[in-house]
Amino acid sequence: MERRFQHVFLMGPMGAGKSTVAQYLRREMEYVRYSLATPVEAVLDIAAPWLRDASKAVRRPYLQKVGRFLREFKPNPLFLAAEEVLKHTTSPMVIDDGRTVEEAVWADQHGFLVVILTASEFVRRRRILERDGELPDGRTHEDETEQQWKYARGLVIDTSDLTEDEMCEMVRAAIESRRMERCKREERRTNGEA
């Protein structure tokens, strides 16, 4: 029996609107928000506790290094932790920090709607400054995991000219569209149609 709700996996560059959409889904649609970076942050907090209260811009390069290290393990501990949460959730889940093609494939295989949010560099820089009060070190953008979203497959939404409400409504409409597709497939299966 299929779920009545749709998990959502958000990918894209920093400042494209992933956190904004995830907060909206949590607040307005009762989604459980989960971060693939949860295990990454736990390892960093153990390895470098002095960074615990540092700004996002300072922490990000260290998080990227730990993330690359953990992604080398097979099976991937980021997926194992997410799967454990999936097993126990009775609500739809939104993951708002998809980074790699492998993560997008995993999400698709686990029934997530993969949404890739993009925005112009100017808009992203402005949003990051408004959110964090500073821009990350230039090397942060050079990290391989910060670029892989470009190669992932999913629904692409350019948020450059959208308000926060508009980007959230576009994702909500995509969720509803996916739900309707699933209902139609289930109805065809029930009626014995191919």
Side-chain angles (χ1 to χ4, degrees), residues 24 35 52 88 146:
Y24 167 85
S35 172
R52 200 170 279 146
H88 299 23
E146 295 298 331

Side-chain angles (χ1 to χ4, degrees), residues 36-55:
L36 288 179
T38 299
V40 176
E41 290 173 351
V43 170
L44 181 62
D45 287 346
I46 291 167
W50 57 90
L51 290 171
R52 200 170 279 146
D53 296 323
S55 71

Side-chain angles (χ1 to χ4, degrees), residues 155-171:
L155 171 66
V156 178
I157 299 174
D158 186 337
T159 67
S160 297
D161 298 321
L162 300 177
T163 65
E164 288 184 2
D165 289 342
E166 289 169 336
M167 76 173 81
C168 293
E169 283 304 316
M170 286 189 78
V171 172

Side-chain angles (χ1 to χ4, degrees), residues 24-92:
Y24 167 85
L25 293 176
R26 184 184 53 74
R27 184 180 64 246
E28 300 296 326
M29 298 179 70
E30 299 179 359
Y31 270 66
V32 171
R33 186 175 177 191
Y34 180 75
S35 172
L36 288 179
T38 299
V40 176
E41 290 173 351
V43 170
L44 181 62
D45 287 346
I46 291 167
W50 57 90
L51 290 171
R52 200 170 279 146
D53 296 323
S55 71
K56 260 187 173 182
V58 171
R59 281 177 62 89
R60 185 171 291 273
Y62 294 96
L63 289 167
Q64 289 172 328
K65 288 177 185 178
V66 172
R68 279 194 308 275
F69 172 73
L70 291 177
R71 285 180 181 97
E72 292 176 8
F73 285 85
K74 301 296 177 213
N76 186 324
L78 307 184
F79 298 156
L80 293 175
E83 288 167 9
E84 196 58 35
V85 173
L86 269 174
K87 284 181 198 174
H88 299 23
T89 188
T90 57
S91 299

Side-chain angles (χ1 to χ4, degrees), residues 58-173:
V58 171
R59 281 177 62 89
R60 185 171 291 273
Y62 294 96
L63 289 167
Q64 289 172 328
K65 288 177 185 178
V66 172
R68 279 194 308 275
F69 172 73
L70 291 177
R71 285 180 181 97
E72 292 176 8
F73 285 85
K74 301 296 177 213
N76 186 324
L78 307 184
F79 298 156
L80 293 175
E83 288 167 9
E84 196 58 35
V85 173
L86 269 174
K87 284 181 198 174
H88 299 23
T89 188
T90 57
S91 299
M93 180 187 292
V94 58
I95 295 176
D96 67 347
D97 61 347
R99 293 278 182 258
T100 68
V101 172
E102 180 187 22
E103 291 168 1
V105 169
W106 171 88
D108 184 61
Q109 290 172 344
H110 285 79
F112 284 76
L113 169 62
V114 177
V115 178
I116 302 163
L117 300 179
T118 66
S120 71
E121 183 177 349
F122 173 79
V123 169
R124 290 186 289 111
R125 289 173 66 85
R126 187 192 76 226
R127 289 175 181 167
I128 292 167
L129 272 172
E130 288 171 359
R131 180 189 70 201
D132 300 340
E134 62 183 327
L135 291 172
D137 183 295
R139 292 170 294 177
T140 298
H141 298 289
E142 296 168 8
D143 186 87
E144 65 186 50
T145 59
E146 295 298 331
Q147 304 302 319
Q148 284 197 20
W149 64 268
K150 296 175 187 175
Y151 309 107
R153 296 184 66 188
L155 171 66
V156 178
I157 299 174
D158 186 337
T159 67
S160 297
D161 298 321
L162 300 177
T163 65
E164 288 184 2
D165 289 342
E166 289 169 336
M167 76 173 81
C168 293
E169 283 304 316
M170 286 189 78
V171 172
R172 185 180 191 130

